[in-house]
Amino acid sequence: MKNKFITGLLLLSFPLIANAQQPISLDEAINKAVKSYPNLTAMRLNEEKNKIMQKSVSVLGDIELSGGGEEIGHGNDAVYTLARVRQNFDFFSAATRRNVFRQQTRLAQAETKVAERDLARQVSTDYIIDYATRLRCQSLQTLDSLYADFEQVAKRRYELQAISLLEYQAAANRRRQVSLSLEETRNDLEVAHRNLSRWLSADTIYMASQPDLSLTSTAIATDPSLHPKAQLAQERTMLAEADIKAAKRRLSPNLFVEGGVQKIGPRSGYYAWQVGISLPLSFGANRSVVKASKTELARIAAENEATMRSLSTERQTLLAAYGKYSKSVAYYQQTALPLAREQRRTATLSYREGSIGYLDLIQALTDAMNTEQSYIDAFAKLLDTKYKLLYY
């Protein structure tokens, strides 16, 4: 109920901004970005291309069509090949080449999963910044209202000659400073809306409606071995192994079958056929390709180990940060914020009654404001850490 009230207050407070924006939840924003962001669309098309390329591999190799003549001259009956067809077969390496395309498809799919996770993290970061900026606007608007009241009270007292010109000028100056800060934060909010919207649409401006505030749901982060980057590392390894097999198969012989229709002098109805194998002569070059492929596999294994170490370290760091910010937010919510708001209320009433001076009021309002801003910072960091745990 409280969150709905705050959201409604914000929408009324910033009509020039909010009326132009479309509210969206974080889950909706992430789903929308993952579904339609152009870079991901391009990556999915790359997956489709690799799937199609699997069908381009066949055991049937090149087919040759030719004709010609032999033993022509000296008035003898020459042998003419009216039509010759030669079909090459690739029985030994077609399967390995098809497997390479299959692994390239799986690798492209793994790369897309990593990109989706990165995009979700970027969207959540901008979403949290948008929401935190709205909270800062709310806090500054409350402070601006208090300083407006402070200025009015000081003006009346100055007109009654109950206070000095210095006190009235201090009240007016503080009001202008807070109003300027509020205007700057509203501009920051407009920028935050646009930064969020860049992931979602080219022509619609979105605003954060409400992030998931259930802060206990992120205690468990994805195990590093199940991380999309770990899956991507496995697919790279399997592709390197497929490349090695394909390189070795290139050392295998190829078969061919040949047939033709011949004519000897004026007499036709003769036939010819031939079956044979073709052997690669560049064994040294092909062995170098195999050796290079094995070296590439070793390099990928080293990179994979570095990736797993980085993921494990990042997970532990995020869990530690989440615990730290959880304690900070709990402290502000349970102790610091209620105390600061009570001090602000008491100081405002005391100044109205004349029991404290303007310097004490300014100090109390400043302290309360600093406490609220520190709470918003800690709360934003907690939310940011939560979603980094989900999408690290």
Short mmCIF file of all heavy atoms in Angstrom, two decimals, residues 303-354:
data_model
loop_
_atom_site.label_atom_id
_atom_site.label_comp_id
_atom_site.label_asym_id
_atom_site.label_seq_id
_atom_site.Cartn_x
_atom_site.Cartn_y
_atom_site.Cartn_z
N GLU A 303 41.86 -20.60 -21.49
CA GLU A 303 40.88 -19.52 -21.36
C GLU A 303 39.68 -19.96 -20.53
O GLU A 303 39.15 -19.19 -19.72
CB GLU A 303 40.41 -19.07 -22.74
CG GLU A 303 41.41 -18.22 -23.50
CD GLU A 303 40.83 -17.64 -24.77
OE1 GLU A 303 39.72 -18.07 -25.16
OE2 GLU A 303 41.47 -16.77 -25.37
N ASN A 304 39.24 -21.19 -20.72
CA ASN A 304 38.10 -21.71 -19.96
C ASN A 304 38.40 -21.75 -18.47
O ASN A 304 37.53 -21.43 -17.64
CB ASN A 304 37.72 -23.10 -20.46
CG ASN A 304 37.14 -23.07 -21.87
OD1 ASN A 304 36.84 -22.01 -22.40
ND2 ASN A 304 36.99 -24.23 -22.47
N GLU A 305 39.61 -22.16 -18.13
CA GLU A 305 39.98 -22.19 -16.71
C GLU A 305 39.96 -20.79 -16.12
O GLU A 305 39.47 -20.58 -14.99
CB GLU A 305 41.37 -22.81 -16.54
CG GLU A 305 41.80 -22.92 -15.08
CD GLU A 305 43.18 -23.55 -14.91
OE1 GLU A 305 43.75 -23.97 -15.94
OE2 GLU A 305 43.66 -23.60 -13.77
N ALA A 306 40.47 -19.81 -16.88
CA ALA A 306 40.45 -18.42 -16.40
C ALA A 306 39.01 -17.93 -16.24
O ALA A 306 38.69 -17.21 -15.28
CB ALA A 306 41.20 -17.52 -17.38
N THR A 307 38.13 -18.32 -17.16
CA THR A 307 36.72 -17.93 -17.08
C THR A 307 36.06 -18.48 -15.83
O THR A 307 35.34 -17.76 -15.11
CB THR A 307 35.96 -18.42 -18.32
OG1 THR A 307 36.50 -17.79 -19.49
CG2 THR A 307 34.48 -18.09 -18.23
N MET A 308 36.30 -19.75 -15.52
CA MET A 308 35.70 -20.37 -14.34
C MET A 308 36.21 -19.72 -13.06
O MET A 308 35.45 -19.50 -12.11
CB MET A 308 35.98 -21.87 -14.34
CG MET A 308 35.30 -22.63 -15.48
SD MET A 308 33.51 -22.36 -15.54
CE MET A 308 33.03 -23.06 -13.95
N ARG A 309 37.49 -19.41 -13.02
CA ARG A 309 38.03 -18.73 -11.84
C ARG A 309 37.39 -17.35 -11.66
O ARG A 309 37.02 -16.96 -10.55
CB ARG A 309 39.55 -18.58 -11.97
CG ARG A 309 40.34 -19.87 -11.85
CD ARG A 309 41.83 -19.57 -11.86
NE ARG A 309 42.63 -20.80 -11.84
CZ ARG A 309 43.95 -20.83 -11.79
NH1 ARG A 309 44.63 -19.68 -11.77
NH2 ARG A 309 44.60 -21.97 -11.77
N SER A 310 37.25 -16.63 -12.78
CA SER A 310 36.65 -15.30 -12.72
C SER A 310 35.19 -15.37 -12.26
O SER A 310 34.76 -14.56 -11.42
CB SER A 310 36.73 -14.64 -14.10
OG SER A 310 36.08 -13.39 -14.10
N LEU A 311 34.44 -16.34 -12.77
CA LEU A 311 33.04 -16.48 -12.38
C LEU A 311 32.91 -16.82 -10.90
O LEU A 311 32.05 -16.27 -10.20
CB LEU A 311 32.37 -17.57 -13.22
CG LEU A 311 32.11 -17.24 -14.69
CD1 LEU A 311 31.59 -18.46 -15.42
CD2 LEU A 311 31.14 -16.08 -14.82
N SER A 312 33.75 -17.71 -10.42
CA SER A 312 33.70 -18.09 -9.01
C SER A 312 34.03 -16.91 -8.11
O SER A 312 33.35 -16.67 -7.10
CB SER A 312 34.67 -19.25 -8.75
OG SER A 312 34.63 -19.64 -7.40
N THR A 313 35.08 -16.15 -8.48
CA THR A 313 35.47 -14.99 -7.68
C THR A 313 34.37 -13.93 -7.69
O THR A 313 34.05 -13.35 -6.65
CB THR A 313 36.78 -14.39 -8.23
OG1 THR A 313 37.81 -15.39 -8.17
CG2 THR A 313 37.20 -13.18 -7.42
N GLU A 314 33.81 -13.68 -8.88
CA GLU A 314 32.76 -12.67 -8.98
C GLU A 314 31.54 -13.05 -8.16
O GLU A 314 30.94 -12.20 -7.49
CB GLU A 314 32.36 -12.48 -10.44
CG GLU A 314 31.36 -11.36 -10.66
CD GLU A 314 31.07 -11.12 -12.13
OE1 GLU A 314 31.60 -11.88 -12.98
OE2 GLU A 314 30.29 -10.20 -12.44
N ARG A 315 31.18 -14.31 -8.17
CA ARG A 315 30.03 -14.77 -7.39
C ARG A 315 30.25 -14.56 -5.90
O ARG A 315 29.38 -14.04 -5.20
CB ARG A 315 29.78 -16.25 -7.68
CG ARG A 315 28.62 -16.87 -6.90
CD ARG A 315 28.39 -18.29 -7.39
NE ARG A 315 27.27 -18.90 -6.72
CZ ARG A 315 27.36 -19.67 -5.64
NH1 ARG A 315 28.55 -19.91 -5.09
NH2 ARG A 315 26.29 -20.22 -5.10
N GLN A 316 31.44 -14.92 -5.41
CA GLN A 316 31.74 -14.74 -4.00
C GLN A 316 31.77 -13.26 -3.62
O GLN A 316 31.30 -12.87 -2.55
CB GLN A 316 33.08 -15.40 -3.66
CG GLN A 316 33.09 -16.91 -3.81
CD GLN A 316 32.04 -17.59 -2.95
OE1 GLN A 316 31.79 -17.19 -1.81
NE2 GLN A 316 31.40 -18.61 -3.51
N THR A 317 32.31 -12.42 -4.50
CA THR A 317 32.36 -10.98 -4.23
C THR A 317 30.96 -10.39 -4.17
O THR A 317 30.65 -9.58 -3.28
CB THR A 317 33.18 -10.28 -5.33
OG1 THR A 317 34.51 -10.81 -5.35
CG2 THR A 317 33.25 -8.78 -5.07
N LEU A 318 30.10 -10.80 -5.09
CA LEU A 318 28.73 -10.27 -5.10
C LEU A 318 27.95 -10.74 -3.87
O LEU A 318 27.16 -9.97 -3.31
CB LEU A 318 28.02 -10.71 -6.38
CG LEU A 318 28.48 -10.01 -7.66
CD1 LEU A 318 27.85 -10.67 -8.88
CD2 LEU A 318 28.12 -8.54 -7.63
N LEU A 319 28.14 -11.98 -3.46
CA LEU A 319 27.47 -12.46 -2.26
C LEU A 319 27.90 -11.67 -1.03
O LEU A 319 27.08 -11.33 -0.17
CB LEU A 319 27.75 -13.95 -2.06
CG LEU A 319 27.01 -14.91 -3.01
CD1 LEU A 319 27.54 -16.33 -2.86
CD2 LEU A 319 25.51 -14.87 -2.76
N ALA A 320 29.20 -11.37 -0.93
CA ALA A 320 29.70 -10.58 0.20
C ALA A 320 29.12 -9.16 0.15
O ALA A 320 28.70 -8.62 1.20
CB ALA A 320 31.22 -10.54 0.16
N ALA A 321 29.07 -8.56 -1.04
CA ALA A 321 28.51 -7.22 -1.17
C ALA A 321 27.02 -7.21 -0.85
O ALA A 321 26.52 -6.28 -0.21
CB ALA A 321 28.75 -6.69 -2.60
N TYR A 322 26.32 -8.26 -1.27
CA TYR A 322 24.89 -8.34 -0.97
C TYR A 322 24.65 -8.39 0.54
O TYR A 322 23.75 -7.72 1.06
CB TYR A 322 24.29 -9.57 -1.65
CG TYR A 322 22.81 -9.71 -1.43
CD1 TYR A 322 21.92 -8.95 -2.17
CD2 TYR A 322 22.29 -10.58 -0.47
CE1 TYR A 322 20.55 -9.07 -1.97
CE2 TYR A 322 20.93 -10.70 -0.27
CZ TYR A 322 20.07 -9.94 -1.02
OH TYR A 322 18.73 -10.05 -0.81
N GLY A 323 25.46 -9.16 1.24
CA GLY A 323 25.33 -9.21 2.70
C GLY A 323 25.61 -7.87 3.34
O GLY A 323 24.90 -7.45 4.29
N LYS A 324 26.63 -7.16 2.84
CA LYS A 324 26.97 -5.85 3.40
C LYS A 324 25.84 -4.85 3.20
O LYS A 324 25.43 -4.16 4.16
CB LYS A 324 28.25 -5.33 2.75
CG LYS A 324 28.69 -3.96 3.25
CD LYS A 324 29.94 -3.48 2.55
CE LYS A 324 29.62 -3.08 1.11
NZ LYS A 324 30.80 -2.46 0.46
N TYR A 325 25.32 -4.75 1.99
CA TYR A 325 24.27 -3.77 1.71
C TYR A 325 22.95 -4.16 2.37
O TYR A 325 22.14 -3.28 2.71
CB TYR A 325 24.09 -3.59 0.21
CG TYR A 325 25.29 -2.95 -0.46
CD1 TYR A 325 25.90 -3.54 -1.57
CD2 TYR A 325 25.81 -1.76 0.02
CE1 TYR A 325 27.00 -2.95 -2.17
CE2 TYR A 325 26.91 -1.17 -0.58
CZ TYR A 325 27.50 -1.77 -1.67
OH TYR A 325 28.60 -1.19 -2.28
N SER A 326 22.72 -5.45 2.57
CA SER A 326 21.51 -5.88 3.29
C SER A 326 21.52 -5.33 4.71
O SER A 326 20.50 -4.84 5.21
CB SER A 326 21.43 -7.40 3.31
OG SER A 326 21.23 -7.92 2.01
N LYS A 327 22.68 -5.42 5.36
CA LYS A 327 22.79 -4.90 6.73
C LYS A 327 22.63 -3.38 6.76
O LYS A 327 21.98 -2.82 7.65
CB LYS A 327 24.13 -5.30 7.32
CG LYS A 327 24.28 -6.80 7.57
CD LYS A 327 25.65 -7.14 8.11
CE LYS A 327 25.80 -8.65 8.33
NZ LYS A 327 27.16 -9.01 8.83
N SER A 328 23.21 -2.70 5.77
CA SER A 328 23.10 -1.24 5.72
C SER A 328 21.66 -0.80 5.53
O SER A 328 21.17 0.10 6.23
CB SER A 328 23.97 -0.69 4.57
OG SER A 328 25.34 -0.95 4.80
N VAL A 329 20.96 -1.44 4.60
CA VAL A 329 19.57 -1.07 4.33
C VAL A 329 18.70 -1.36 5.55
O VAL A 329 17.82 -0.56 5.91
CB VAL A 329 19.05 -1.82 3.09
CG1 VAL A 329 17.53 -1.68 2.96
CG2 VAL A 329 19.74 -1.29 1.84
N ALA A 330 18.93 -2.49 6.20
CA ALA A 330 18.17 -2.82 7.40
C ALA A 330 18.39 -1.77 8.50
O ALA A 330 17.45 -1.37 9.20
CB ALA A 330 18.57 -4.20 7.91
N TYR A 331 19.63 -1.32 8.64
CA TYR A 331 19.93 -0.28 9.65
C TYR A 331 19.17 1.00 9.33
O TYR A 331 18.55 1.60 10.22
CB TYR A 331 21.43 -0.02 9.69
CG TYR A 331 21.79 1.29 10.36
CD1 TYR A 331 21.68 1.45 11.75
CD2 TYR A 331 22.20 2.39 9.59
CE1 TYR A 331 21.99 2.66 12.34
CE2 TYR A 331 22.51 3.60 10.18
CZ TYR A 331 22.40 3.74 11.56
OH TYR A 331 22.70 4.93 12.15
N TYR A 332 19.22 1.43 8.07
CA TYR A 332 18.54 2.68 7.70
C TYR A 332 17.03 2.55 7.90
O TYR A 332 16.38 3.47 8.42
CB TYR A 332 18.84 3.03 6.25
CG TYR A 332 20.18 3.70 6.06
CD1 TYR A 332 21.22 3.06 5.39
CD2 TYR A 332 20.42 4.99 6.54
CE1 TYR A 332 22.46 3.67 5.21
CE2 TYR A 332 21.66 5.61 6.37
CZ TYR A 332 22.67 4.94 5.71
OH TYR A 332 23.89 5.55 5.55
N GLN A 333 16.46 1.42 7.48
CA GLN A 333 15.01 1.26 7.56
C GLN A 333 14.52 1.16 9.00
O GLN A 333 13.47 1.69 9.34
CB GLN A 333 14.59 0.02 6.78
CG GLN A 333 14.73 0.17 5.26
CD GLN A 333 14.35 -1.09 4.52
OE1 GLN A 333 14.35 -2.19 5.07
NE2 GLN A 333 14.03 -0.96 3.23
N GLN A 334 15.28 0.50 9.84
CA GLN A 334 14.84 0.24 11.21
C GLN A 334 15.24 1.35 12.18
O GLN A 334 14.54 1.59 13.17
CB GLN A 334 15.41 -1.08 11.70
CG GLN A 334 14.93 -2.28 10.90
CD GLN A 334 15.67 -3.55 11.22
OE1 GLN A 334 16.41 -3.62 12.20
NE2 GLN A 334 15.51 -4.58 10.39
N THR A 335 16.34 2.04 11.91
CA THR A 335 16.87 2.99 12.89
C THR A 335 17.06 4.39 12.33
O THR A 335 16.45 5.36 12.81
CB THR A 335 18.22 2.49 13.45
OG1 THR A 335 18.04 1.18 13.98
CG2 THR A 335 18.73 3.42 14.53
N ALA A 336 17.91 4.52 11.33
CA ALA A 336 18.35 5.85 10.89
C ALA A 336 17.22 6.66 10.26
O ALA A 336 17.05 7.85 10.59
CB ALA A 336 19.50 5.71 9.91
N LEU A 337 16.44 6.05 9.36
CA LEU A 337 15.38 6.80 8.69
C LEU A 337 14.28 7.27 9.64
O LEU A 337 13.91 8.45 9.62
CB LEU A 337 14.78 5.96 7.56
CG LEU A 337 15.52 5.99 6.21
CD1 LEU A 337 14.79 5.12 5.20
CD2 LEU A 337 15.63 7.41 5.69
N PRO A 338 13.73 6.40 10.49
CA PRO A 338 12.72 6.89 11.43
C PRO A 338 13.24 8.01 12.32
O PRO A 338 12.53 8.99 12.58
CB PRO A 338 12.38 5.64 12.26
CG PRO A 338 12.70 4.50 11.36
CD PRO A 338 13.90 4.93 10.59
N LEU A 339 14.49 7.89 12.79
CA LEU A 339 15.07 8.93 13.64
C LEU A 339 15.24 10.23 12.86
O LEU A 339 14.90 11.31 13.36
CB LEU A 339 16.41 8.45 14.18
CG LEU A 339 17.15 9.45 15.09
CD1 LEU A 339 16.31 9.80 16.30
CD2 LEU A 339 18.50 8.88 15.51
N ALA A 340 15.73 10.14 11.64
CA ALA A 340 15.96 11.35 10.84
C ALA A 340 14.64 12.06 10.54
O ALA A 340 14.56 13.30 10.61
CB ALA A 340 16.67 10.99 9.55
N ARG A 341 13.60 11.31 10.22
CA ARG A 341 12.32 11.93 9.90
C ARG A 341 11.67 12.54 11.14
O ARG A 341 11.01 13.59 11.06
CB ARG A 341 11.40 10.89 9.25
CG ARG A 341 11.86 10.53 7.84
CD ARG A 341 11.22 9.28 7.29
NE ARG A 341 11.71 8.99 5.94
CZ ARG A 341 11.52 7.87 5.29
NH1 ARG A 341 10.81 6.89 5.86
NH2 ARG A 341 12.02 7.69 4.07
N GLU A 342 11.87 11.90 12.27
CA GLU A 342 11.35 12.47 13.51
C GLU A 342 12.10 13.75 13.86
O GLU A 342 11.49 14.75 14.30
CB GLU A 342 11.47 11.45 14.64
CG GLU A 342 11.00 11.95 16.00
CD GLU A 342 9.54 12.36 16.02
OE1 GLU A 342 8.75 11.86 15.18
OE2 GLU A 342 9.16 13.19 16.89
N GLN A 343 13.41 13.74 13.68
CA GLN A 343 14.19 14.95 13.95
C GLN A 343 13.78 16.08 13.01
O GLN A 343 13.69 17.24 13.43
CB GLN A 343 15.68 14.65 13.78
CG GLN A 343 16.26 13.79 14.91
CD GLN A 343 17.71 13.41 14.67
OE1 GLN A 343 18.18 13.40 13.52
NE2 GLN A 343 18.43 13.09 15.73
N ARG A 344 13.52 15.74 11.76
CA ARG A 344 13.09 16.75 10.81
C ARG A 344 11.73 17.33 11.21
O ARG A 344 11.52 18.55 11.17
CB ARG A 344 13.00 16.12 9.41
CG ARG A 344 12.64 17.08 8.31
CD ARG A 344 12.66 16.37 6.96
NE ARG A 344 11.64 15.33 6.89
CZ ARG A 344 11.59 14.43 5.93
NH1 ARG A 344 12.52 14.41 4.98
NH2 ARG A 344 10.62 13.53 5.92
N ARG A 345 10.82 16.47 11.61
CA ARG A 345 9.49 16.94 12.02
C ARG A 345 9.58 17.81 13.27
O ARG A 345 8.98 18.89 13.34
CB ARG A 345 8.59 15.73 12.30
CG ARG A 345 7.14 16.09 12.60
CD ARG A 345 6.37 14.87 13.03
NE ARG A 345 6.84 14.37 14.32
CZ ARG A 345 6.46 14.88 15.50
NH1 ARG A 345 5.59 15.90 15.55
NH2 ARG A 345 6.91 14.38 16.63
N THR A 346 10.36 17.35 14.25
CA THR A 346 10.50 18.10 15.50
C THR A 346 11.16 19.44 15.26
O THR A 346 10.74 20.46 15.83
CB THR A 346 11.34 17.28 16.51
OG1 THR A 346 10.69 16.02 16.73
CG2 THR A 346 11.48 18.03 17.81
N ALA A 347 12.21 19.46 14.41
CA ALA A 347 12.91 20.71 14.14
C ALA A 347 11.99 21.71 13.44
O ALA A 347 12.01 22.91 13.75
CB ALA A 347 14.14 20.44 13.29
N THR A 348 11.15 21.23 12.51
CA THR A 348 10.24 22.12 11.80
C THR A 348 9.22 22.73 12.76
O THR A 348 8.95 23.95 12.72
CB THR A 348 9.52 21.34 10.69
OG1 THR A 348 10.48 20.78 9.80
CG2 THR A 348 8.60 22.26 9.90
N LEU A 349 8.65 21.91 13.62
CA LEU A 349 7.68 22.42 14.60
C LEU A 349 8.35 23.38 15.58
O LEU A 349 7.78 24.41 15.95
CB LEU A 349 7.05 21.25 15.35
CG LEU A 349 6.10 20.35 14.53
CD1 LEU A 349 5.61 19.19 15.38
CD2 LEU A 349 4.91 21.16 14.00
N SER A 350 9.56 23.03 16.01
CA SER A 350 10.27 23.88 16.97
C SER A 350 10.58 25.25 16.38
O SER A 350 10.50 26.27 17.05
CB SER A 350 11.57 23.20 17.42
OG SER A 350 11.28 21.99 18.10
N TYR A 351 10.93 25.28 15.09
CA TYR A 351 11.21 26.58 14.48
C TYR A 351 9.94 27.40 14.36
O TYR A 351 9.95 28.62 14.55
CB TYR A 351 11.84 26.38 13.11
CG TYR A 351 12.18 27.68 12.42
CD1 TYR A 351 13.29 28.43 12.82
CD2 TYR A 351 11.37 28.18 11.40
CE1 TYR A 351 13.59 29.64 12.21
CE2 TYR A 351 11.66 29.39 10.79
CZ TYR A 351 12.78 30.11 11.19
OH TYR A 351 13.07 31.31 10.58
N ARG A 352 8.83 26.72 14.02
CA ARG A 352 7.56 27.44 13.95
C ARG A 352 7.22 28.08 15.29
O ARG A 352 6.69 29.19 15.35
CB ARG A 352 6.43 26.48 13.56
CG ARG A 352 6.38 26.15 12.07
CD ARG A 352 5.29 25.13 11.81
NE ARG A 352 5.09 24.89 10.40
CZ ARG A 352 4.30 25.60 9.63
NH1 ARG A 352 3.62 26.61 10.15
NH2 ARG A 352 4.18 25.32 8.33
N GLU A 353 7.50 27.35 16.36
CA GLU A 353 7.19 27.84 17.70
C GLU A 353 8.24 28.80 18.22
O GLU A 353 8.05 29.42 19.28
CB GLU A 353 7.06 26.64 18.66
CG GLU A 353 5.90 25.73 18.31
CD GLU A 353 5.92 24.43 19.10
OE1 GLU A 353 6.90 24.26 19.88
OE2 GLU A 353 5.00 23.63 18.95
N GLY A 354 9.35 28.91 17.51
CA GLY A 354 10.39 29.85 17.91
C GLY A 354 11.33 29.33 18.97
O GLY A 354 12.12 30.10 19.53
#
